[in-house]
Amino acid sequence: MCGIIGYTGPEDVLPLLVQGLSTLEYRGYDSAGVAVIDHAGELQIVKRAGRLDRLRGALEGRPIHGTTGLGHTRWATHGEPNDPNAHPHTDAVGHLALIHNGIFENFAELKAELEAAGHVFRSETDTEVIAHLIGAIRDEQGGDLASAVRSAMKRIEGAFAIAVLDRHDPHTLVASRREAPLVLGHAEGASLLASDVAGLIAHTRDISAMLDDQIAVLTPGGITITDLEGYPAEAHHYTVDWDISAAEKQGYDHFMLKEIHEQPRAVHETLLGRVNGEGRIAVDELRGGAAVEGDLAHVDKIYIVACGTSMHAGMVAKYTIEHWARLPVEVEIASEFRYRDPILTPHTLVVAISQSGETADTIAAATHARNQQAKVVAITNVVGSTLAREADVVLYTRAGPEIAVASTKAFTTQIVALDVLALYLAQLRRSLFPDECGDHLARMEMLPALIEQVLEQEPAIAELARTFAGAEYVMFIGRHVGLPIALEGALKLKEIAYVHAEGFAAGEMKHGPIALIDQGGPVVALATRGHVRGKVVSNIQEVKARGAVVLVVATEGDTEIKEHADHVMYVPDAHELLYPILTVVPLQLLAYHIATTLGRDVDMPRNLAKTVTVE
């Protein structure tokens, strides 16, 4: 989940690297570093533990000029976040510099082998081991850097992306990947690489996503891609349709707040073009055409696999898919899925959800499903991502870049895309009439305007947040589609405010959690209109009787709920299954304003990174 940036071309590279790292810092901020081949042909490396500002401080007054370099921002996996463990790392003689994202699973074995040959290591990282390995191979075999990387790749195990430069070849970068993201940028007279598109978009929209076990050689004149045997290969090429302004704050205090306010547009974009010329619900990519649709029509069970916030979106989808498509659905944590030996057949559908399309656990679950002959649907925000390439069917969330670590617009657009999937499956299975599918889609198309109405309440929610900011523990409760939103509301508060928060099924309170209620303890309850509202009201009365201060998210016009609540946040009236897309918004704003009241770093919460590319 580290950030990688690389450039070779005519420009002075250091400012470009630092700017790229600023764009990618959300991928990791334990440390940062750069490696530049200067105009004298010397390899200059500067790295510091901590935020990017510490690296900037170290670079002040230290002129380093060159046109080829690498930059890295780290989320630590091996070795504590300190200066020696920061990237880049060099080989034994200091001629090569390497940066990496991911984990090398057999690094201990390789390190022992290299130590026996006399290598001395200066860090605790697995990264330095691979730098030494590549250097040793090149010294032993001769040849160019690409040949050494190719040979090393045949020995390395794990999920990772690497980028290497050599002071003896000052205008070349070499990169490779396996089960971790790495994209290449094609620019006029220059070539770039990065861990995701956000690092490249200031320079080019012409992108290639590398595939597993490819070797890319970048020079100012272009990029050459081969396989591990040296034969020509092709990456997945595409053009980015958003610009750098989408990845900037645009006047908001934090990316998270900007992304919360972008949800109406993101939902609108996700719903565009969902009906084809024949009046049928359409997906973005369908590999196998009518044959795959025929298989999907005969699916008898669905597993939804995801992690964190994406799993909560999957929990919401369970209700819509079962209700509209009449298919049994299980929602599973992606990291556990393949290890419990799930029963998968050609009639099983696995729906994998990942904002980045590069979440290691989710990709592994999708790959396992494919190996068992199950069909795979990907819900992702990134065109050309690994997950998208693994799938038979893809629905893109079209949320645009999400920079804040805590997911907001990705979550709501995932729910929308999953609701479209539910209608698509209902259409294939004929569990809904065509006009029913159209009516549900029409209701969904009203959601952007309804979200705007919720966002207008931000000042009142910010005031509520100041009231709740002193709480040591907050409980969230809900039933039916309110339960996943209770879980998501608690997760947001934990992620960015570091407040202990838990979400519970409201009906389970009397089976244990109600023991946590004490005088003045805050409880947030989801009680919108629907067939379980009365039950939730009963649960609210139970916690109120035990001294809780209750904040209720309710439907506009529900004045009766005020009899049972200390505070109320209203959302517009909607179809019961669509409420999650509205009710999560005030909880996002509540968490955001509690976090800012407490002085937290909202966009970069401690110990977390945006994309989890390691298991």
Side-chain angles (χ1 to χ4, degrees):
M1 43 188 110
C2 304
I4 290 174
I5 185 74
Y7 173 89
T8 180
E11 295 186 36
D12 194 19
V13 72
L14 186 59
L16 186 150
L17 294 177
V18 173
Q19 179 56 44
L21 291 179
S22 178
T23 304
L24 295 170
E25 193 177 11
Y26 66 92
R27 294 184 64 93
Y29 31 86
D30 290 337
S31 60
V34 293
V36 174
I37 301 174
D38 66 20
H39 291 316
E42 297 299 323
L43 181 56
Q44 302 283 351
I45 294 178
V46 183
K47 53 186 184 177
R48 290 292 186 273
R51 296 291 177 86
L52 184 58
D53 283 344
R54 288 207 67 228
L55 176 65
R56 288 193 181 101
L59 291 169
E60 285 182 8
R62 184 171 176 175
I64 300 174
H65 299 289
T67 58
T68 298
L70 296 170
H72 187 272
T73 182
R74 182 174 184 241
W75 190 86
T77 54
H78 285 85
E80 65 178 278
N82 58 26
D83 288 358
N85 290 334
H87 296 209
H89 290 279
T90 63
D91 66 335
V93 294
H95 292 166
L96 307 182
L98 181 143
I99 57 177
H100 129 256
N101 171 32
I103 290 178
F104 301 117
E105 294 176 356
N106 62 333
F107 84 97
E109 170 191 330
L110 295 170
K111 184 175 184 179
E113 176 186 315
L114 290 163
E115 285 178 327
H119 287 247
V120 176
F121 293 92
R122 296 174 291 276
S123 77
E124 304 168 296
T125 67
D126 54 350
T127 312
E128 188 185 4
V129 175
I130 306 307
H132 279 239
L133 175 66
I134 293 171
I137 291 172
R138 193 195 54 184
D139 292 343
E140 178 183 333
Q141 297 180 356
D144 59 12
L145 180 59
S147 298
V149 171
R150 195 173 289 117
S151 296
M153 284 290 292
K154 295 176 182 179
R155 300 202 56 196
I156 304 169
E157 298 172 6
F160 54 85
I162 61 174
V164 196
L165 56 74
D166 178 356
R167 64 180 291 264
H168 296 299
D169 191 358
H171 303 294
T172 300
L173 302 175
V174 177
S176 190
R177 58 147 277 173
R178 183 181 300 151
E179 299 179 17
L182 196 64
V183 290
L184 309 173
H186 309 267
E188 186 69 32
S191 298
L192 303 95
L193 59 85
S195 45
D196 68 45
V197 174
L200 303 180
I201 195 63
H203 309 282
T204 181
R205 297 187 183 188
D206 191 6
I207 306 297
S208 293
M210 293 184 69
L211 307 184
D212 283 351
D213 292 324
Q214 291 184 335
I215 307 293
V217 177
L218 292 78
T219 68
I223 302 174
T224 302
I225 300 174
T226 61
D227 62 19
L228 291 187
E229 302 306 321
Y231 294 109
E234 290 187 7
H236 177 77
H237 187 263
Y238 60 99
T239 302
V240 177
D241 59 2
W242 49 272
D243 60 27
I244 190 61
S245 65
E248 295 175 342
K249 291 180 184 176
Q250 298 176 348
Y252 288 94
D253 290 338
H254 297 92
F255 281 113
M256 183 180 178
L257 186 60
K258 170 179 174 277
E259 289 157 9
I260 289 171
H261 281 268
E262 286 177 337
Q263 289 177 114
R265 180 203 57 77
V267 168
H268 172 74
E269 293 287 337
T270 302
L271 288 167
L272 282 177
R274 293 304 181 188
V275 178
N276 64 20
E278 299 172 354
R280 295 174 61 81
I281 304 295
V283 297
D284 292 301
E285 294 181 10
L286 178 66
R287 301 186 178 102
V292 168
E293 286 198 328
D295 292 337
L296 294 179
H298 294 93
V299 162
D300 57 20
K301 185 167 186 176
I302 295 177
Y303 289 101
I304 297 177
V305 294
C307 304
T309 286
S310 294
M311 190 185 73
H312 297 156
M315 293 175 68
V316 174
K318 174 180 171 68
Y319 293 97
T320 52
I321 293 173
E322 289 188 342
H323 188 71
W324 290 342
R326 308 306 298 162
L327 277 166
V329 178
E330 291 188 32
V331 183
E332 303 226 12
I333 300 170
S335 58
E336 295 294 323
F337 182 67
R338 61 188 174 131
Y339 296 115
R340 69 165 187 80
D341 193 21
I343 299 170
L344 302 170
T345 76
H347 296 295
T348 306
L349 176 62
V350 172
V351 180
I353 314 170
S354 166
Q355 186 278 141
S356 66
E358 304 295 347
T359 306
D361 296 314
T362 307
I363 293 168
T367 301
H368 178 74
R370 288 290 299 272
N371 291 341
Q372 300 298 313
Q373 307 304 310
K375 291 290 179 286
V376 175
V377 172
I379 308 293
T380 182
N381 193 34
V382 181
V383 176
S385 61
T386 301
L387 184 61
R389 298 195 301 271
E390 279 287 325
D392 301 286
V393 177
V394 184
L395 282 91
Y396 291 113
T397 54
R398 306 174 190 164
E402 188 178 65
I403 305 302
V405 168
S407 181
T408 53
K409 63 177 179 174
F411 176 71
T412 47
T413 54
Q414 284 170 352
I415 297 174
V416 169
L418 287 160
D419 287 350
V420 171
L421 175 64
L423 294 176
Y424 176 70
L425 293 171
Q427 171 183 271
L428 294 177
R429 294 170 53 78
R430 300 183 181 179
S431 56
L432 291 177
F433 290 111
D435 59 342
E436 290 180 297
C437 289
D439 288 345
H440 286 304
L441 196 61
R443 292 187 187 97
M444 292 166 64
E445 288 169 346
M446 296 170 63
L447 287 168
L450 300 182
I451 297 171
E452 290 280 12
Q453 293 179 38
V454 180
L455 291 170
E456 290 171 0
Q457 301 176 51
E458 184 181 354
I461 295 171
E463 186 63 35
L464 271 177
R466 285 186 280 276
T467 301
F468 278 70
E472 295 182 358
Y473 173 74
V474 181
M475 183 179 291
F476 292 73
I477 60 174
R479 285 178 179 255
H480 195 246
V481 292
L483 171 57
I485 302 309
L487 296 171
E488 176 63 11
L491 177 61
K492 283 293 154 285
L493 195 56
K494 284 183 280 195
E495 279 182 309
I496 64 169
Y498 317 147
V499 173
H500 186 190
E502 297 293 336
F504 295 103
E508 286 294 291
M509 292 296 292
K510 62 181 69 69
H511 296 286
I514 202 166
L516 295 169
I517 300 296
D518 57 12
Q519 192 66 35
V523 174
V524 180
L526 284 300
T528 48
R529 288 199 182 108
H531 70 289
V532 296
R533 178 193 172 278
K535 300 291 186 183
V536 178
V537 170
S538 296
N539 301 133
I540 292 171
Q541 292 170 331
E542 290 168 358
V543 298
K544 280 285 289 180
R546 287 157 178 84
V549 173
V550 180
L551 168 60
V552 176
V553 180
T555 305
E556 280 181 354
D558 185 355
T559 56
E560 186 268 340
I561 199 70
K562 293 181 179 179
E563 299 175 15
H564 312 289
D566 297 284
H567 310 279
V568 182
M569 298 187 295
Y570 285 111
V571 298
D573 196 10
H575 187 283
E576 185 172 8
L577 292 175
L578 301 182
Y579 269 125
I581 300 163
L582 302 177
T583 55
V584 75
V585 177
L587 301 190
Q588 293 168 346
L589 288 168
L590 183 70
Y592 171 82
H593 284 289
I594 289 176
T596 55
T597 299
L598 294 173
R600 309 302 192 210
D601 190 340
V602 173
D603 287 335
M604 297 180 181
R606 67 189 181 199
N607 303 330
L608 298 176
K610 183 64 178 174
T611 305
V612 182
T613 56
V614 295
E615 279 203 83

